[in-house]
Amino acid sequence: MQSSKTGYGQVSDQPRPPKKNKRIALLSASAVILVVIVIAVVVGVSHNHHSKGSSDGPSMSVKAIQAICQPTDYKEACESSLTAVAGSNTTDPKDLVKLSFKVALDRIRDAANHSSVLQKLKQDPWTVQALENCRELMDYAIDDLKGSIEKLGGFDLTKLDRLMEDLSVWLSASITYQETCLDGFENTTGDAEESMRKAMKTGMELSSNTLAIVRGLSDILGDLKIPFLNRRRLLSDEEEEEEEEEGDGEFPSWVSMGRRRLLVAPTTKPDVVVAKDGSGRFKTINEALGVIPKNGNRTFVVYIKAGVYKEYVEIKRSMTNVMFVGDGPTKTKITGNKNFIDGTPTFKTATVAVVGDGFIAKNIGFENSAGPSKHQAVALRVQSDMSVFHNCQIDGYQDTLYAHTNRQFYRDCLVSGTIDFIFGNSPVIFQNCRIVARKPLENQQNTITAQGRKDKREPTALILHNCTIVADKDYYPSRKRLPTYLGRPWKEYSRTFVMQSQIDDLVRPEGWQPWFGDFALNTCFYAEFDNRGPGAGVTGG
């Protein structure tokens, strides 16, 4: 970062048993009923807002499009783009929602192609890197939209709330990737930034519109109060008992029982062992990545024995359900020192980048050792949906942990740094974690968080629950002279919660700091609740 899902669904390691035929018939009938009801609601809303039954008024398709686009911020772009592809007979809200995803996807593809064209021109090194990152980020945005369209194809009404939640999380990620692309141009020269901003304008508007449509449709369905939508899904008695056990408050509900057992087990049987001393199959982590199955549904365990691994690791998008297990957060460490000052864009400074969904890390350390004078230097960047970090240590200075996108959970971890050292736009929870402020440069002051929520409908927030916020021993004598703040608003709708946590006296009484001027002060949302310790007072804010 440049400086001067929270409801959760559930995943399972094993497929559910087949439903009974009677239940399938009931669900199929319910699906038909719901589609009819939603069409009636959509067209009825449109009818009330427009020509009230005149035969010369808009067609049913136009009415449906106008109603679907009603909650959006960019209505003209929404209506014109859908009208161009929907045809005169499309009134099914499901089809219109899918079309809204597809038109956004097409515009993002256009922007990605534009970045390829720009890259062929003579550019300064920062611009070249920004364009390269844009192409990668656009691919992530496109993949998330594709996944959303595929998920819409099933439209299982017993899991409708989970569907809406998933779509909202993935759309938020797609929006964030596009915003990250533009962030990368902050230090470039020439007109590449303005050119990319223009090329991306429609795609970003349509992505925002699609998020608004999904949230709006969810509100409509909630208002209808249809009985079988009041629960996440129809369950047998056995499934109800399992779900009650899973919802025990220890983990988000999307962490399945199988994954929880892996997290709490004293030992885990590995699929592959990495050891610097040669006692494992591989001596480096990157060698081990080569044997990970692509798009695996089963958790693939990589045991990394004690040692300091000086390498840059990327868990690619195709590496799903991977688990890293170390010998302890200070015994097994992955370290690097890429940084902004030496010429690497923030997005690419990460020692470890986790993209593949369902990632788990346990008993392992991640470090960027560049130091405070090198400014932005990420130790860990995470985009993995439904990822979990347990008993891990994440050390750096500025921008230590980039909780970039998608649902993440950190439990019993330690995170250290100086400026904005927990940042990003994920629905992310830190529970029972130790947050350690380190000594910044003499002309700096610490900010623990910088949350990057760009759109007011994004289901994202940074949540610190039952954490401990303390000063590093080297920083402790300077904590009054070089102050620490809980956070500052990186984007317009920045949202952060600090709850039931121990806050030591390093945090200033004001608690929070502006980004610059009055930027986002009227739109950000920061909350402190039931905290304790000498830095927990809120009277100074």
Side-chain angles (χ1 to χ4, degrees):
M1 182 186 61
Q2 309 299 328
S3 74
S4 79
K5 303 158 149 135
T6 40
Y8 295 98
Q10 178 183 334
V11 300
S12 176
D13 287 326
Q14 301 296 331
R16 293 287 187 187
K19 304 294 183 183
K20 295 180 180 178
N21 291 338
K22 182 177 180 181
R23 183 175 295 170
I24 292 173
L26 173 63
L27 300 186
S28 300
S30 299
V32 174
I33 292 169
L34 183 64
V35 169
V36 171
I37 291 173
V38 173
I39 290 173
V41 170
V42 166
V43 176
V45 170
S46 178
H47 182 79
N48 290 335
H49 281 282
H50 296 287
S51 59
K52 296 188 182 288
S54 168
S55 60
D56 296 327
S59 69
M60 293 289 282
S61 178
V62 171
K63 289 180 179 180
I65 290 171
Q66 290 172 337
I68 282 286
C69 292
Q70 188 61 35
T72 66
D73 291 336
Y74 307 99
K75 291 184 178 61
E76 183 178 349
C78 180
E79 293 178 9
S80 62
S81 63
L82 286 179
T83 300
V85 297
S88 59
N89 297 317
T90 305
T91 58
D92 187 334
K94 177 183 171 184
D95 290 340
L96 291 175
V97 172
K98 289 176 71 174
L99 284 174
S100 73
F101 278 90
K102 288 179 179 177
V103 295
L105 190 151
D106 288 342
R107 296 293 81 78
I108 294 171
R109 280 199 180 109
D110 290 344
N113 291 334
H114 185 75
S115 70
S116 299
V117 172
L118 283 178
Q119 196 167 346
K120 295 176 183 178
L121 303 177
K122 186 177 181 180
Q123 305 282 1
D124 72 278
W126 281 109
T127 303
V128 170
Q129 292 184 87
L131 289 167
E132 288 176 354
N133 291 342
C134 272
R135 293 178 64 187
E136 178 181 342
L137 288 157
M138 263 7 139
D139 285 343
Y140 294 144
I142 289 168
D143 283 348
D144 280 345
L145 287 173
K146 282 182 178 177
S148 299
I149 293 169
E150 291 171 4
K151 193 76 176 277
L152 269 170
F155 212 71
D156 183 346
L157 295 179
T158 62
K159 302 176 184 177
L160 190 61
D161 56 347
R162 193 189 314 166
L163 171 65
M164 294 301 180
E165 172 196 311
D166 287 344
L167 295 181
S168 296
V169 169
W170 299 336
L171 279 167
S172 171
S174 182
I175 291 168
T176 300
Y177 294 137
Q178 294 172 73
E179 183 70 14
T180 304
C181 164
L182 293 177
D183 286 342
F185 287 91
E186 287 187 2
N187 296 279
T188 61
T189 60
D191 61 357
E193 177 182 6
E194 185 59 28
S195 182
M196 274 304 297
R197 193 173 293 277
K198 288 179 180 177
M200 294 176 61
K201 180 176 182 292
T202 302
M204 295 184 76
E205 289 180 353
L206 293 178
S207 298
S208 173
N209 283 345
T210 305
L211 177 59
I213 289 168
V214 167
R215 300 302 289 262
L217 185 59
S218 180
D219 291 342
I220 289 174
L221 296 173
D223 290 342
L224 291 175
K225 294 182 171 58
I226 300 170
F228 64 82
L229 292 180
N230 289 340
R231 301 184 62 191
R232 295 199 327 200
R233 62 174 182 269
L234 298 177
L235 300 172
S236 66
D237 291 341
E238 292 81 5
E239 290 173 320
E240 284 180 342
E241 291 174 3
E242 180 181 338
E243 181 150 292
E244 286 176 4
E245 183 181 0
E246 291 185 355
D248 60 4
E250 293 295 314
F251 295 94
S253 61
W254 46 259
V255 183
S256 69
M257 288 304 299
R259 287 158 62 86
R260 295 179 199 203
R261 293 187 189 102
L262 287 173
L263 287 163
V264 301
T267 59
T268 304
K269 182 180 179 180
D271 292 284
V272 65
V273 176
V274 178
K276 289 181 70 67
D277 62 8
S279 60
R281 181 176 173 185
F282 300 108
K283 289 186 177 181
T284 70
I285 299 166
N286 277 295
E287 287 177 308
L289 297 185
V291 300
I292 293 174
K294 289 188 176 181
N295 303 309
N297 292 319
R298 182 185 69 83
T299 302
F300 187 91
V301 180
V302 181
Y303 170 40
I304 307 170
K305 289 189 175 183
V308 177
Y309 295 82
K310 296 180 180 180
E311 48 185 310
Y312 295 95
V313 177
E314 181 179 2
I315 308 300
K316 296 184 181 297
R317 189 131 210 170
S318 62
M319 299 176 184
T320 54
N321 298 307
V322 174
M323 182 177 187
F324 278 8
V325 180
D327 280 328
T330 60
K331 294 179 179 179
T332 299
K333 181 193 295 185
I334 309 171
T335 185
N337 61 3
K338 288 184 180 179
N339 62 85
F340 180 79
I341 292 298
D342 288 345
T344 303
T346 305
F347 178 69
K348 286 296 186 179
T349 61
T351 302
V352 176
V354 183
V355 183
D357 290 343
F359 180 80
I360 302 174
K362 176 182 174 182
N363 301 338
I364 193 166
F366 307 89
E367 180 187 59
N368 192 310
S369 62
S373 64
K374 296 296 186 177
H375 293 193
Q376 297 91 334
V378 177
L380 176 65
R381 187 186 87 232
V382 183
Q383 300 163 221
S384 171
D385 195 20
M386 300 185 182
S387 54
V388 181
F389 295 79
H390 186 251
N391 192 35
C392 292
Q393 184 157 325
I394 307 152
D395 291 319
Y397 287 87
Q398 184 170 343
D399 289 2
T400 303
L401 173 57
Y402 195 172
H404 194 190
T405 57
N406 292 313
R407 287 161 284 199
Q408 304 176 26
F409 181 63
Y410 298 77
R411 184 177 174 86
D412 300 325
C413 293
L414 184 151
V415 187
S416 72
T418 55
I419 299 172
D420 307 333
F421 65 93
I422 301 174
F423 75 110
N425 191 30
S426 291
V428 56
I429 298 173
F430 295 83
Q431 190 175 80
N432 302 353
C433 291
R434 189 170 180 85
I435 312 300
V436 181
R438 305 177 81 171
K439 186 178 180 180
L441 299 178
E442 286 298 316
N443 63 342
Q444 294 178 334
Q445 45 197 2
N446 291 336
T447 44
I448 295 171
T449 69
Q451 206 277 337
R453 186 167 169 254
K454 177 72 174 179
D455 190 298
K456 61 179 178 283
R457 298 179 182 88
E458 291 182 89
T460 57
L462 197 161
I463 301 170
L464 273 60
H465 175 236
N466 197 36
C467 292
T468 301
I469 300 174
V470 298
D472 177 79
K473 60 182 178 59
D474 291 333
Y475 168 54
Y476 187 83
S478 307
R479 71 194 186 285
K480 300 297 184 182
R481 182 171 54 84
L482 303 173
T484 292
Y485 297 86
L486 292 174
R488 57 178 181 161
W490 181 23
K491 303 292 181 180
E492 288 88 335
Y493 292 94
S494 179
R495 184 164 61 177
T496 302
F497 301 84
V498 182
M499 306 165 56
Q500 297 177 325
S501 294
Q502 170 72 30
I503 305 176
D504 284 0
D505 67 354
L506 70 158
V507 174
R508 287 291 296 266
E510 300 95 307
W512 309 87
Q513 186 182 43
W515 188 265
F516 62 85
D518 61 357
F519 171 75
L521 296 185
N522 294 323
T523 51
C524 68
F525 186 88
Y526 291 148
E528 300 172 55
F529 172 73
D530 197 22
N531 295 307
R532 56 194 181 275
V538 296
T539 56

